[in-house]
């Protein structure tokens, strides 16, 4: 489906459903349950673009229904919950029920569409989680992940960018989430030689004075039954990772500075970057981000070829910051080499770079992947987490040019997420491998700032009964 058609014809119903969820949170009894279920079903039905794993299109079959429902509900369903008049909304429920009845009959007349598939796609709304890039600021996401687990809101699909990519593959390794295990995994990162000084020149990424060694630090956690590293398509939760393909001629203006430019007291652990080195890297990121014709956003995992990448390699490529950190798989990683070299040839690339060069929160690409069948169901709620505003102290000033460069791209992504959280506080941008006390503080901060959204998600994602039950209860008023 065309993106503009989604914005014009489909997004109003997603916003309407979100408005109902907000009203339900602020005033749980504003409508009787049967009437609320009928309206939620009507709005979800209008959001369907295709049905089932095969993606049988229902865009045209429901075009008239969407127009009729919009004309019926738009006057009485504003997105601001304080402006919703429950009595005026309730009066229109019978008409909405009649519209749903007619629309369902039309959809079920479509070849290869059955009632079970229709009910599954309408009554259950999967959660899609998007973890944006923000270096050390991104650890606030742990609080959101913890809260989602407590509410039993399991993501059906995760997209990660930069630090968000590393956290995404850690989260997706198992279906269950254990914050204690994540802390242990991050402790292993901090203790290990995950950042190597004076590395050899990389083959696939822009050079930096440090090399990220995720395989050495976390490889033991990502071994499959045969001993090989888990691939993206073998994780318990589907994950795609955003990287930036750098075209020929877009390499940085000068060679990477040696790691010895860092604070001498930090040379051993290299867990925290000095402002000078961070500033140089952010300048390079900003320059690349503004060179739109030379960079190509790429979703690793979204196609059959890149889905075979080891998950740690994909996350490493997404987190390689030009002029600061590069990622290099070992020489014997022949499958990774083959996949990346095919990618280079297909897109005429010179190198891979941090996903944030393309965008911090790739909501449009996530939506496109879902429309392409990534989840099976096209009906979902996209939750975008962004920590780019969460830096403390001088790092806020460092981020300003980068945020300005991303502003236009952020506006292009915004229509494609249902809920977005921009964290305002958290760990410092330069705390790449923070101490456990800093991690715990970032987790508490993230949890606190995420809480209003967590409550809203519970209302938005609550499953619905099948339509025959909804219709029967609505007609009886019980």
């Amino acid at each position: 489906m065309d993106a503009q058609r989604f914005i014009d014809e489909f997004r109003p119903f997603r916003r309407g459903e979100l408005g109902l969820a907000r009203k339900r949170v602020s005033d749980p009894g504003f409508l009787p349950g049967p009437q609320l279920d009928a309206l939620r079903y009507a709005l979800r039905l209008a959001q369907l673009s295709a049905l089932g794993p095969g993606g049988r299109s229902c865009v045209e079959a429901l075009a008239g229904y969407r127009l009729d429902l919009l004309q019926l509900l738009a006057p009485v369903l504003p997105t601001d919950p304080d402006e919703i008049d429950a009595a005026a909304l309730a009066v229109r429920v019978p008409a909405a029920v009649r519209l749903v009845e007619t629309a369902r009959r039309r959809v079920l007349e479509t070849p290869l569409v059955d009632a079970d598939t229709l009910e599954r796609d309408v009554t259950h709304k999967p959660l899609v989680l998007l973890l944006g890039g923000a270096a050390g600021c991104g650890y606030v996401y742990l609080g959101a992940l913890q809260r989602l687990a407590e509410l039993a809101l399991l993501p059906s699909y995760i997209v990660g960018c930069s630090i968000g990519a590393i956290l995404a593959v850690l989260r997706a390794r198992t279906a269950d989430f254990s914050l204690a295990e994540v802390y242990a995994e991050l402790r292993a990162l901090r203790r290990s030689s995950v950042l190597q000084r004076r590395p050899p020149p990389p083959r696939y990424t822009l050079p930096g004075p440090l090399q990220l060694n995720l395989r050495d630090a976390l490889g033991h956690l990502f071994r499959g039954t045969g001993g090989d590293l888990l691939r993206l398509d073998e994780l318990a939760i589907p994950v795609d990772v955003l990287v930036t393909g750098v075209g020929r001629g877009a390499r940085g203006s000068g060679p990477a500075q040696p790691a010895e430019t860092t604070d001498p007291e930090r040379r051993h652990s290299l867990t925290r970057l000095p402002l000078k080195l961070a500033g140089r890297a952010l300048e390079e990121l900003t320059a690349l981000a503004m060179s739109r014709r030379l960079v190509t956003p790429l979703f690793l995992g979204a196609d059959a070829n890149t889905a075979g990448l080891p998950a740690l390699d994909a996350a490493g490529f997404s987190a390689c910051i030009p002029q600061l950190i590069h990622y290099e798989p070992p020489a014997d990683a022949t499958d990774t080499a083959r996949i990346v070299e095919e990618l280079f040839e297909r897109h005429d690339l010179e190198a891979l770079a941090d996903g944030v060069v393309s965008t911090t929160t790739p909501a449009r690409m996530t939506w496109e992947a879902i429309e392409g069948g990534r989840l099976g169901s096209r009906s979902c709620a996209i939750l975008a987490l962004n920590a780019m505003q969460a830096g403390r102290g001088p790092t806020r000033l460092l981020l300003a040019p980068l945020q300005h460069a991303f502003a236009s791209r952020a506006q292009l992504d915004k229509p494609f997420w249902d809920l977005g959280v921009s964290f305002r506080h958290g760990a410092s941008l330069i705390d790449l491998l923070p101490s456990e006390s800093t991690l715990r503080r970032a987790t508490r901060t993230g949890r606190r700032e995420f809480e209003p959204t967590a409550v809203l998600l519970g209302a938005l994602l609550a499953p619905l009964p099948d339509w025959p039950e909804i219709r029967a209860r609505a007609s009886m008023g019980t």
Side-chain angles (χ1 to χ4, degrees):
M1 176 175 54
D2 177 76
Q4 191 58 51
R5 187 169 190 179
F6 164 79
I7 292 172
D8 293 341
E9 296 186 25
F10 289 76
R11 187 167 178 259
F13 299 105
R14 294 174 85 144
R15 289 172 60 83
E17 185 183 8
L18 192 56
L20 276 184
R22 287 194 171 102
K23 184 66 174 178
R24 183 182 177 189
V25 168
S26 64
D27 184 5
F30 82 104
L31 274 181
Q35 292 184 337
L36 180 60
D37 286 348
L39 289 172
R40 291 178 63 212
Y41 190 103
L43 290 165
R44 286 191 182 181
L45 180 61
Q47 297 169 41
L48 289 184
S49 61
L51 283 169
R56 189 72 180 180
S57 176
C58 52
V59 172
E60 299 303 331
L62 290 174
Y65 168 72
R66 289 194 299 274
L67 180 59
D68 291 341
L69 189 67
L70 185 65
Q71 292 173 339
L72 177 69
L73 295 183
V76 294
L77 188 54
T79 56
D80 184 346
D82 293 334
E83 296 178 3
I84 293 178
D85 184 333
L89 194 57
V91 167
R92 305 199 178 206
V93 170
V97 169
R98 291 192 294 271
L99 288 176
V100 170
E101 283 284 290
T102 303
R104 288 182 80 259
R105 282 196 298 269
R106 184 166 186 179
V107 170
L108 292 174
E109 289 169 358
T110 304
L112 305 180
V113 172
D114 61 87
D116 288 342
T117 300
L118 175 62
E119 294 307 302
R120 183 179 63 248
D121 281 7
V122 176
T123 60
H124 291 82
K125 187 182 267 295
L127 173 63
V128 174
L129 182 59
L130 200 168
L131 303 178
C137 303
Y139 290 109
V140 292
Y141 301 153
L142 294 176
L145 293 176
Q146 180 190 35
R147 194 68 185 100
L148 289 173
E150 290 172 352
L151 294 171
L153 296 176
L154 175 69
S156 297
Y157 172 39
I158 306 177
V159 171
C161 172
S162 195
I163 182 64
I166 295 174
L167 294 178
V169 298
L170 285 173
R171 172 62 189 90
R173 190 170 59 87
T174 60
D176 296 329
F177 177 75
S178 167
L179 186 61
E181 287 184 8
V182 173
Y183 284 157
E185 292 158 1
L186 293 174
R187 277 197 300 272
L189 277 180
R190 186 177 173 85
R191 289 195 303 264
S192 71
S193 56
V194 68
L195 290 176
Q196 174 189 340
R197 300 186 303 277
R198 285 190 172 277
R203 292 172 292 169
Y204 304 123
T205 63
L206 296 175
L210 303 172
Q211 178 175 310
L212 183 60
N213 294 318
L214 290 180
R215 283 180 176 235
D216 290 346
L218 297 175
H220 64 287
L221 298 172
F222 282 80
R223 296 290 175 188
T225 53
D228 294 332
L229 286 176
L230 290 174
R231 309 180 321 185
L232 286 172
D233 58 5
E234 293 174 328
L235 296 173
I237 301 172
V239 169
D240 288 342
V241 168
L242 177 68
V243 299
T244 300
V246 180
R248 302 190 185 280
R251 278 188 181 266
S253 56
Q257 298 297 312
E260 279 71 16
T261 56
T262 59
D263 182 346
E265 294 182 1
R266 298 288 182 177
R267 285 181 187 173
H268 178 67
S269 63
L270 289 174
T271 60
R272 182 181 177 89
L273 295 172
L275 290 175
K276 183 178 180 180
L277 196 59
R280 184 183 301 124
L282 288 171
E283 287 176 4
E284 184 73 7
L285 278 174
T286 303
L288 279 174
M290 297 179 71
S291 303
R292 290 297 179 194
R293 64 184 181 85
L294 296 174
V295 299
T296 303
L298 302 168
F299 251 17
L300 304 181
D303 61 275
N305 190 36
T306 59
L309 273 172
L312 288 177
D313 288 347
F317 288 133
S318 181
C320 52
I321 305 173
Q323 289 289 324
L324 180 58
I325 297 171
H326 68 242
Y327 185 80
E328 180 69 8
D332 60 355
T334 54
D335 286 344
T336 295
R338 174 186 55 80
I339 292 170
V340 173
E341 287 165 8
E342 289 177 0
L343 202 64
F344 276 37
E345 182 177 356
R346 191 183 324 144
H347 297 280
D348 193 25
L349 302 178
E350 183 178 359
L352 299 177
D354 197 309
V356 300
V357 172
S358 297
T359 179
T360 56
T361 47
R364 176 166 178 165
M365 292 183 69
T366 302
W367 172 82
E368 290 172 345
I370 294 165
E371 281 296 307
R374 188 68 174 88
L375 267 181
S377 173
R378 275 72 175 172
S379 174
C380 66
I382 298 177
L383 168 63
L385 305 184
N386 179 14
M388 196 60 81
Q389 304 283 346
R392 295 186 288 109
T395 59
R396 286 186 183 272
L397 296 177
L398 286 176
L399 283 170
L402 193 61
Q403 291 165 350
H404 178 73
F406 290 151
S408 60
R409 181 66 202 186
Q411 289 304 308
L412 294 176
D413 280 314
K414 189 174 181 179
F416 296 93
W417 70 60
D418 296 275
L419 287 168
V421 181
S422 291
F423 294 91
R424 296 295 172 180
H425 304 89
S428 172
L429 170 82
I430 59 179
D431 273 332
L432 297 183
L433 297 170
S435 65
E436 185 155 339
S437 62
T438 300
L439 279 176
R440 291 181 181 277
R441 186 165 56 249
T443 301
R444 291 192 297 270
T445 299
R447 180 188 177 98
R448 183 175 63 252
E449 294 192 26
F450 182 68
E451 182 58 24
T453 301
V455 174
L456 182 55
L457 269 175
L460 180 65
L461 300 179
L464 285 165
D466 288 349
W467 177 249
E469 180 181 344
I470 292 175
R471 180 188 56 203
R473 292 178 63 207
S475 65
M476 293 185 299
T478 61

